[in-house]
Amino acid sequence: MSRSTEFRATSTHPVDAVFAAMVDRQILADRLAVMGGPGAGILEYEKVGDGAKYRVKHGIDAQHLPGVVKTVVGNEGIQIERDETWTRAGDGYDGTVGVALPGLPARASGAMRLSPTPGGSELVVRVEVSVNVPIIGGKIEETVGREIVRLLEMETDYTLSRL
């Protein structure tokens, strides 16, 4: 079983400026320090041609987890590892994202597109969340999907505030 989630954000900034801020190592490190949770940081980072590839870690303290998620993880917090790869594609950028929760029966993966618009740029992220837990897996997928959108909203706001 899996669940799809989509996130969209627009900006008045041009696509190249938004992309540069999104993959800037210092902005990424600062963003993780502000909102990444316990143990957050950059695990790997590489500029690749006109793109970038990186792996980051987020931490979520158990007190901030929804009850349905706590039924699986208990009173321990969770660690999330996220891989992103971005490449130049025409007049914008295409990306892939993979999310792993080490030790948990959950994962997410998806595609991202940063495109120019007449007034600036638009970021679209589509993610498929899969939780392999009988009976309550669908509820956890729904909760994780909402949390992904909330996290992407905060990250996007933070990154755009740095432009």
Side-chain angles (χ1 to χ4, degrees), residues 34-55:
V34 169
M35 63 185 64
I42 298 173
L43 301 174
E44 296 175 22
Y45 182 90
E46 178 184 3
K47 290 290 270 181
V48 182
D50 289 338
K53 180 178 181 177
Y54 49 88
R55 187 164 62 101

Side-chain angles (χ1 to χ4, degrees), residues 20-35:
M22 285 173 53
V23 301
D24 180 272
R25 185 182 179 111
Q26 187 60 55
I27 292 174
L28 184 59
D30 293 346
R31 186 181 80 204
L32 286 164
V34 169
M35 63 185 64

Side-chain angles (χ1 to χ4, degrees), residues 37-104:
I42 298 173
L43 301 174
E44 296 175 22
Y45 182 90
E46 178 184 3
K47 290 290 270 181
V48 182
D50 289 338
K53 180 178 181 177
Y54 49 88
R55 187 164 62 101
V56 298
K57 183 167 83 169
H58 300 265
I60 303 176
D61 193 299
Q63 69 184 0
H64 300 296
L65 294 172
V68 69
V69 175
K70 285 183 190 177
T71 63
V72 175
V73 302
N75 290 324
E76 298 296 317
I78 60 174
Q79 294 294 307
I80 301 166
E81 293 182 7
R82 184 167 93 190
D83 294 287
E84 290 190 20
T85 301
W86 286 95
T87 56
R88 182 78 180 183
D91 57 358
Y93 297 87
D94 286 339
T96 59
V97 60
V99 179
L101 292 91
L104 297 176

Side-chain angles (χ1 to χ4, degrees), residues 5 69 106 108 129 131 139-149:
T5 298
V69 175
V129 178
V131 177
K139 184 65 174 166
I140 295 173
E141 289 168 355
E142 181 182 326
T143 300
V144 169
R146 277 195 312 267
E147 290 302 308
I148 287 172
V149 169

Side-chain angles (χ1 to χ4, degrees), residues 5-8 97 109-113 124-128:
T5 298
E6 182 176 284
F7 170 76
R8 290 179 177 269
V97 60
S109 61
M112 305 175 288
R113 174 76 180 149
V124 177
V125 180
R126 291 183 181 93
V127 178
E128 192 81 13

